[in-house]
Amino acid sequence: MKKEAKEQLNYKDELEDKIIELSLKLKNKDKELNEVVELNNLIFKKLIHNLKNPVGIAFSFSEMILEGIDNYNPEKLKSHVEIIKNSSDFSLKFLNKLAEYARYQQLELKFTFLEYDFLNFINSVIAKAEVLANKKSIHINKKLPTEVVKFKFDKNELEIAILNILNNAIRYSNENSEIGIEVTTTQSELNISVSDYGLGLEQKDFLFIFDEFCVVNTYSEDKEKCIGLGLPIAQKIVKKHGGKISIKSEISKGSTFTISLPLYGLNT
């Protein structure tokens, strides 16, 4: 009888432990769900905020052209069509970036970690960034190791992360200037540092720069409006690789973003 009572007591304790465990899991899931709902609400608000103005401009100028087409000279028509084109272009870029960001919100999103020669990889990434840099006559000064560096990473995803940071540096740099990219290694870590000599950031902004839609400087040096999703996407990709992004910056002197990736021990 005592044995049965003890077994029942043990069973009761186990049951209570499982109930507590399930309750904690439910609480965590509820927290995750609330975070997703809040983020979706933010995305919806930002979607309306960012598209209302350019779509409204495109509509207004289209209406002006249609109503007064007989009074338009070629120069005025070209000017108004360019305004429509620029507004439409921003809207498309915003929607594409939003779709890209939404992909990283998927819980089932899987990365493919394979071993690559990192130096070949980073040279190809820099070559792509140079296309944008050349438009502003910006020189990319690279400092890379001479020895072969091989480790496992998702080639396509890491390219997106590095390009986002390089493009960000180019965006906030003056024409006829330069940015730097340096790759260094330790026994356990690879570091990719991207430096510019542009607007720079205040230290108080470091805490928020990776938040969705966070825009410290609304417009770049070439007056292009910033969306605020490039750095959050880069951070999600780097975290998926077990790494981190750090910042050093000073107002009017520029910024350095450093991606640090583990060379070994990544759980793939």
Side-chain angles (χ1 to χ4, degrees):
M1 193 72 178
K2 288 183 178 179
K3 184 179 178 181
E4 290 181 1
K6 187 176 181 180
E7 286 178 350
Q8 287 180 354
L9 186 61
N10 289 338
Y11 175 76
K12 182 181 177 183
D13 289 341
E14 289 176 5
L15 192 60
E16 286 178 351
D17 288 341
K18 286 187 177 182
I19 290 172
I20 292 171
E21 183 183 349
L22 288 171
S23 177
L24 289 172
K25 284 183 178 179
L26 184 62
K27 188 175 181 180
N28 287 334
K29 289 295 179 185
D30 188 53
K31 182 182 177 183
E32 288 178 11
L33 181 61
N34 286 335
E35 288 175 352
V36 170
V37 170
E38 286 179 11
L39 181 57
N40 285 340
N41 287 337
L42 174 63
I43 289 173
F44 184 70
K45 289 177 183 177
K46 290 292 181 180
L47 179 65
I48 294 173
H49 175 76
N50 281 278
L51 291 184
K52 188 175 182 180
N53 190 47
V55 171
I57 289 172
F59 177 80
S60 296
F61 276 87
S62 300
E63 198 170 46
M64 285 168 59
I65 292 171
L66 288 172
E67 288 178 354
I69 191 68
D70 294 335
N71 299 320
Y72 268 83
N73 58 53
E75 187 178 343
K76 183 179 179 182
L77 181 61
K78 181 183 177 183
S79 173
H80 285 192
V81 170
E82 282 181 351
I83 291 171
I84 294 171
K85 181 181 179 297
N86 291 337
S87 296
S88 302
D89 184 55
F90 172 80
S91 300
L92 287 172
K93 284 181 179 177
F94 179 82
L95 288 172
N96 287 334
K97 206 67 179 178
L98 192 60
E100 183 184 351
Y101 177 78
R103 189 167 70 87
Y104 294 101
Q105 296 300 104
Q106 299 174 18
L107 297 176
E108 67 275 13
L109 180 65
K110 301 293 182 184
F111 280 32
T112 302
F113 296 96
L114 298 173
E115 187 173 85
Y116 298 101
D117 180 338
F118 185 79
L119 295 185
N120 286 339
F121 163 75
I122 196 65
N123 275 312
S124 69
V125 174
I126 293 170
K128 291 181 179 180
E130 283 176 332
V131 175
L132 180 62
N134 289 339
K135 292 179 179 179
K136 294 178 67 175
S137 298
I138 293 173
H139 174 67
I140 299 180
N141 182 28
K142 57 184 180 180
K143 188 177 179 182
L144 308 178
T146 54
E147 70 276 8
V148 174
V149 181
K150 288 188 176 182
F151 70 105
K152 289 184 177 181
F153 58 93
D154 188 306
K155 191 175 183 180
N156 295 328
E157 299 294 351
L158 192 57
E159 178 180 294
I160 291 170
I162 297 172
L163 278 176
N164 279 356
I165 291 177
L166 278 168
N167 290 344
N168 194 66
I170 294 167
R171 175 193 294 272
Y172 291 106
S173 293
N174 293 316
E175 290 188 0
N176 302 303
S177 61
E178 70 172 38
I179 64 172
I181 178 165
E182 181 178 9
V183 175
T184 58
T185 60
T186 65
Q187 288 187 337
S188 60
E189 195 173 64
L190 179 137
N191 298 302
I192 311 141
S193 295
V194 176
S195 301
D196 66 67
Y197 305 95
L199 299 174
L201 299 166
E202 294 184 46
Q203 195 164 357
K204 65 180 179 65
D205 296 321
F206 292 4
L207 295 173
F208 312 105
I209 197 68
F210 295 105
D211 290 351
E212 294 83 1
F213 302 105
C214 175
V215 178
V216 177
N217 300 299
T218 305
Y219 290 93
S220 62
E221 289 296 312
D222 53 4
K223 305 303 178 186
E224 184 177 349
K225 190 175 180 181
C226 182
I227 294 170
L229 288 176
L231 291 179
I233 288 173
Q235 187 186 53
K236 285 182 178 294
I237 294 169
V238 170
K239 280 187 174 181
K240 198 79 171 178
H241 282 79
K244 63 180 182 179
I245 305 178
S246 55
I247 315 169
K248 289 182 180 178
S249 187
E250 194 173 341
I251 290 294
S252 300
K253 292 188 177 180
S255 305
T256 297
F257 285 78
T258 299
I259 298 174
S260 300
L261 301 172
L263 289 173
Y264 308 105
L266 180 63
N267 182 14
T268 60

